[in-house]
Amino acid sequence: MTWDVALILGIDGLANGAVYLLAGLGLVLIFSVTRVVFVPFGDVAAFAALSLAAFETGRTPATIGMVLTLALLATLTEVGSLVRRGEAARIPKAIALWGLLPAVPCALAWATAQFAAPQAVQIAASVLLVVPIAPLLARVVFQPIADASVLVLLIVSLALHFLLSGLGLLFFGPEGSRTSALAGGSLQLGDAFSVSGQVVLMVASAIVLSALFFLVFERTVAGKALRATAVNRVGARLVGIRPARTAMLAYGCASLLAGLIGVLIAPVTTMYYDSGFIIGLKAFVAAIIGGLVSYPLTAVGAIAVGVVESFASFWSGAMKDAIVFSLLIPVLLLRSYMTTHADEDEEELDQ
C-alpha cells in the first residue's frame, strides 16, 4: 500500500459512495413515508442499465414489456378496488392514470429504439422507462397492505425482489451488458495521477442530485408534503395531505433515482438481470447508518461504505462484501445502546 495506491482507492471509493448515496436517499425516502424497506430498488437500477445497453445495440428494451405488464396488473387492481367500494364513476380516471400514463414512456422508448436516437435521448428514454416501475409495484403489492407491520412489509419486499429477478431473467436473459462511457477524457491531478471523466460525472451527479433533492424538500409544496407525511402520517392527513398520494410520489422519485443510478454505473460494470440486489444491500447499509430517517447521516454512511469497499477489495477481493456488511454490527450495537428500551409490562400499561 503506497500513497498513490491509497489515492486511487480513495477516488474509486468516492465514485462507489456516490452511487450508494443516491440509492440510500431513495431507500430513506420510501421508508420514511411508507415504512417499506424497498429491497427491489437495485433491480430498478439494473433494468435501467440493461435498457440503455439494449438501445446501444439497436434492440428494443425488454423493459417495455415488463412495464406494460405491471401497468395492466395495476389497472386491474385499481378498477377492482373501485368496483368493491362502489365508485365505478372513477374507473376511466384510474385507467388513464395506471394504464395509459405508464404507456407514454414505453412509446417513447419504442420510438427511440426504432430511429437510432443519439445517446442523450437513449439515456433519457432509459431513465423515464423505469420511473413507473416502483409506483406500479407499490399499487399492486404494497398499497393493499399499507397498514401491515414493518416486518411484514419487509418480507413482502424481499419476496418482490425475487419475483423481479425472475421477471428480469425472463425478459432480459442471463447475458450481461455494459454500455459505452457517458463522459470521455480525464481530470489530471498532479503529474502522475488522473481521474476518468466517468468517475467525475458520477461524483458530480451525486452532488447535484443531492442538492436538488434538498431544494425539492425545502422549497416545493410536494416536498413539504413528503416531509409532513414522513414526520406524522395522521397529522398530514388532518391538514389535507393524502398519505397514499405522497407514497406514490415517493416511489416515483425513488424510481427516478434508481434509473439515474443505472445509467451511471452501466459503463463501469457489467450488469446482469440480478446485479441490482448487491447495490441495494450496500445502499441499505448506508441507510441503516442514517437510521433510515436522516439524509445527512445516510450520505456519510454511503461515502463510508464506498471507501471501505474500495480498500477492502485491495486487501481481499473475495471478502470485500463481508467487510462492508460487517459495518452494520458496530452501528446496530451503538444504536441499541443509545436507544431507550422499555419492558414489555410497561409497554402494556402504556397501551
Side-chain angles (χ1 to χ4, degrees):
M1 174 71 72
T2 63
W3 286 110
D4 291 340
V5 174
L7 182 59
I8 294 173
L9 293 175
I11 296 296
D12 184 63
L14 287 177
N16 294 335
V19 172
Y20 301 143
L21 167 60
L22 297 178
L25 292 179
L27 290 176
V28 172
L29 173 61
I30 291 179
F31 181 82
S32 61
V33 175
T34 66
R35 303 180 300 118
V36 173
V37 179
F38 193 61
V39 179
F41 184 93
D43 296 307
V44 179
F47 296 157
L50 293 172
S51 299
L52 181 58
F55 282 131
E56 291 190 351
T57 55
R59 295 179 288 114
T60 301
T63 320
I64 295 176
M66 181 181 295
V67 172
L68 292 177
T69 301
L70 292 175
L72 177 61
L73 292 175
T75 302
L76 293 176
T77 302
E78 181 68 14
V79 170
S81 176
L82 293 175
V83 171
R84 286 193 302 270
R85 298 201 306 263
E87 301 177 0
R90 297 175 56 188
I91 290 179
K93 181 179 178 181
I95 294 176
L97 178 62
W98 297 106
L100 300 181
L101 188 60
V104 174
C106 294
L108 175 62
W110 181 85
T112 302
Q114 300 303 312
F115 298 104
Q119 187 183 45
V121 177
Q122 293 177 353
I123 293 172
S126 300
V127 174
L128 292 176
L129 184 57
V130 300
V131 168
I133 292 180
L136 292 173
L137 291 173
R139 180 61 192 92
V140 175
V141 179
F142 293 115
Q143 188 169 322
I145 57 171
D147 295 327
S149 66
V150 175
L151 179 59
V152 171
L153 293 173
L154 175 60
I155 294 173
V156 172
S157 183
L158 187 60
L160 183 60
H161 155 70
F162 290 111
L163 175 62
L164 285 181
S165 294
L167 290 176
L169 179 59
L170 175 65
F171 282 95
F172 295 101
E175 297 82 10
S177 301
R178 180 179 294 197
T179 65
S180 58
L182 304 181
S186 61
L187 177 64
Q188 195 70 27
L189 299 177
D191 297 330
F193 185 75
S194 62
V195 181
S196 67
Q198 183 66 33
V199 172
V200 174
L201 177 63
M202 293 169 66
V203 175
S205 298
I207 295 174
V208 172
L209 290 173
S210 299
L212 290 176
F213 197 84
F214 173 79
L215 291 176
V216 167
F217 267 70
E218 293 292 332
R219 304 296 182 185
T220 66
V221 175
K224 292 177 180 179
L226 287 171
R227 290 178 57 195
T229 307
V231 173
N232 190 326
R233 291 174 63 87
V234 177
R237 186 181 292 112
L238 290 176
V239 297
I241 298 174
R242 297 182 180 179
R245 183 173 297 178
T246 55
M248 291 303 165
L249 179 59
Y251 281 110
C253 293
S255 200
L256 177 62
L257 284 175
L260 293 171
I261 290 171
V263 299
L264 285 174
I265 63 176
V268 297
T269 183
T270 302
M271 297 297 294
Y272 297 86
Y273 69 94
D274 59 348
S275 296
F277 185 57
I278 196 68
I279 298 173
L281 279 182
K282 291 176 181 177
F284 179 69
V285 174
I288 288 293
I289 294 176
L292 284 171
V293 293
S294 173
Y295 294 105
L297 285 179
T298 298
V300 173
I303 299 301
V305 168
V307 172
V308 169
E309 179 187 20
S310 180
F311 280 87
S313 65
F314 175 80
W315 294 110
S316 176
M319 294 293 294
K320 66 174 184 177
D321 291 338
I323 294 173
V324 170
F325 295 136
S326 67
L327 290 175
L328 283 175
I329 298 175
V331 172
L332 293 177
L333 289 175
L334 179 61
R335 289 196 172 277
S336 178
Y337 176 77
M338 297 177 62
T339 302
T340 303
H341 299 277
D343 294 334
E344 293 183 2
D345 295 337
E346 294 179 0
E347 292 179 353
E348 291 178 358
L349 291 175
D350 292 339
Q351 294 176 357

